[in-house]
Amino acid sequence: MPKRRSNNGGRMVKAPAQAQVPQLFAVEAMFCGPGNLGSQDMNEGCFCGDAGFFVLKKNDVYPTLPHCEWFCSSLAQATGVPQIPFSVVKHTAGNFWFGSLWMNGRTPDWWNLAQQGSINFSSLADDLSRIYALDLFVHNDDRHMNNYMVVPAGTGHRVYSFDYSRAWLYHGAVPGAIMTDPGLNTVSSKEWMKQTFGQYLNPAVALEVLDRIDGIDEVGVRAILAGHPTDWLAQQQEDEIVDWWTNGARTARIAAIRDGVNDGTLL
C-alpha cells in the first residue's frame, strides 16, 4: 500500500492498512514496543504517526480479548457512553490488534483531587452513570477507579470509559448474572463513590443508555461484529452472540437492569 506524505516536516506517515474484511481499515503502526501502561492486559503500545499513540489489546491474555474490547467500545460509542477513541491497529509484525488512543492529560488519582475540590465531581456524575449502565449490561466487573479516564476539558474535566478486558465473553458465551457483589471492583468503586460524594448516579441517563442498547437490532449488532477482523472471533461465537441478541435474552437482561435502576437496588 502506498505511503502518503504528511505536512509535519516532510515526515512520512503510513496510510491506513486494509485488514481482513473489505470495509475495515486500520491505523498502521510506525513502531511498537513494550511499556508499563498500568494494566496487566496492556503491555505494548504503537506509535501510529498522525493518528497518535495506541495502547494494544492482543489475544495473548485470552483469545477473544480484542473482540471484547471492540464490541464493548462500539456499544459505548453507539449508546452515548463517553468512550476513548479506538481503532484496529496494524502492528509492525503484520498482526491486527485492538488499540485505544492514549489521551494526553490523563489525571492520575483524580478521585483524590475530587475529594480536595480540585475536580468538580458532580460534573462527572452523568457520564459516570452512563458508564455504569453499560458496565452492568456487558458484565464489566473490573471498573476500578483507575479505569476511568479523567482528563481536563475547558475549565473543568471529563470522564471517559476504556478497558473492557474483564467483560462480555471473558465470562463465557454470554454475560453472567447482573452484578451486585460488593467484592467486584465495579460494585465496590460505585459504593465508595456514593459514600464519598453522595448518591451521584442519575437514573434518567442510565435508563437512556439501556434504551439505546435495546434499540440496536440484529442489523446493528452484525455491523459491530463485521467491523473488526474476522479472526478475532470464531464463526460459532459470532452466531451465538447474534442468537443471544435476538432470542429475547438481551431484552430480558435490559429489563432486569432497568428494574434495578428504577427501584434503586442497582444504584
Side-chain angles (χ1 to χ4, degrees), residues 82 84 102-114 118-121 123-125 127-128 131 143-153 156-162 193:
I84 287 179
W102 185 263
M103 298 184 73
N104 293 327
R106 180 181 185 183
T107 306
D109 299 332
W110 63 271
W111 55 95
N112 291 329
L113 296 176
S118 300
I119 289 178
N120 179 5
F121 182 85
S123 70
L124 307 178
D127 281 337
L128 289 170
I131 294 168
R143 182 71 65 192
H144 52 79
M145 300 301 288
N146 270 319
N147 269 357
Y148 297 97
M149 177 73 74
V150 176
V151 297
H157 290 79
R158 280 213 68 187
V159 60
Y160 294 88
S161 178
F162 75 106
M193 285 188 278

Side-chain angles (χ1 to χ4, degrees), residues 2-194:
K3 298 178 181 179
R4 60 181 173 85
R5 184 177 296 275
S6 78
N7 294 322
N8 187 5
R11 175 166 53 86
M12 298 297 291
V13 178
K14 294 181 178 180
Q18 192 168 2
Q20 293 100 313
V21 293
Q23 71 272 34
L24 178 64
F25 286 85
V27 294
E28 190 166 356
M30 299 180 72
F31 60 82
C32 302
N36 181 11
L37 301 171
S39 169
Q40 61 181 325
D41 302 322
M42 299 185 295
N43 55 19
E44 186 173 8
C46 291
F47 176 68
C48 300
D50 290 347
F53 181 84
F54 286 80
V55 177
L56 300 188
K57 291 290 185 72
K58 304 189 290 187
N59 65 0
D60 51 346
V61 178
Y62 61 90
T64 60
L65 175 55
H67 158 77
C68 290
E69 290 285 353
W70 178 271
F71 192 85
C72 297
S73 298
S74 297
L75 279 184
Q77 190 176 67
T79 57
V81 177
Q83 172 66 37
I84 287 179
F86 60 96
S87 180
V88 177
V89 175
K90 184 179 181 183
H91 194 279
T92 51
N95 309 94
F96 291 90
W97 302 122
F98 177 88
S100 293
L101 183 68
W102 185 263
M103 298 184 73
N104 293 327
R106 180 181 185 183
T107 306
D109 299 332
W110 63 271
W111 55 95
N112 291 329
L113 296 176
Q115 285 181 281
Q116 297 164 16
S118 300
I119 289 178
N120 179 5
F121 182 85
S122 63
S123 70
L124 307 178
D126 281 0
D127 281 337
L128 289 170
S129 303
R130 293 181 176 97
I131 294 168
Y132 177 61
L134 179 62
D135 283 341
L136 286 174
F137 178 75
V138 298
H139 199 106
N140 181 15
D141 62 19
D142 194 31
R143 182 71 65 192
H144 52 79
M145 300 301 288
N146 270 319
N147 269 357
Y148 297 97
M149 177 73 74
V150 176
V151 297
T155 59
H157 290 79
R158 280 213 68 187
V159 60
Y160 294 88
S161 178
F162 75 106
D163 195 353
Y164 300 94
S165 61
R166 296 295 182 269
W168 194 232
L169 298 189
Y170 176 79
H171 303 284
V174 296
I178 296 168
M179 295 180 293
T180 58
D181 181 358
L184 300 175
N185 282 335
T186 303
V187 179
S188 62
S189 296
K190 180 256 298 185
E191 292 298 325
W192 183 86
M193 285 188 278
K194 282 173 56 179

Side-chain angles (χ1 to χ4, degrees), residues 137 178 210-211 213-218 241-259:
F137 178 75
I178 296 168
L210 295 172
D211 289 344
I213 296 172
D214 206 13
I216 298 175
D217 59 11
E218 180 177 347
I241 290 170
V242 173
D243 180 62
W244 183 85
W245 201 267
T246 56
N247 69 9
R250 170 184 60 99
T251 54
R253 184 175 184 84
I254 293 170
I257 299 171
R258 191 181 282 128
D259 287 345

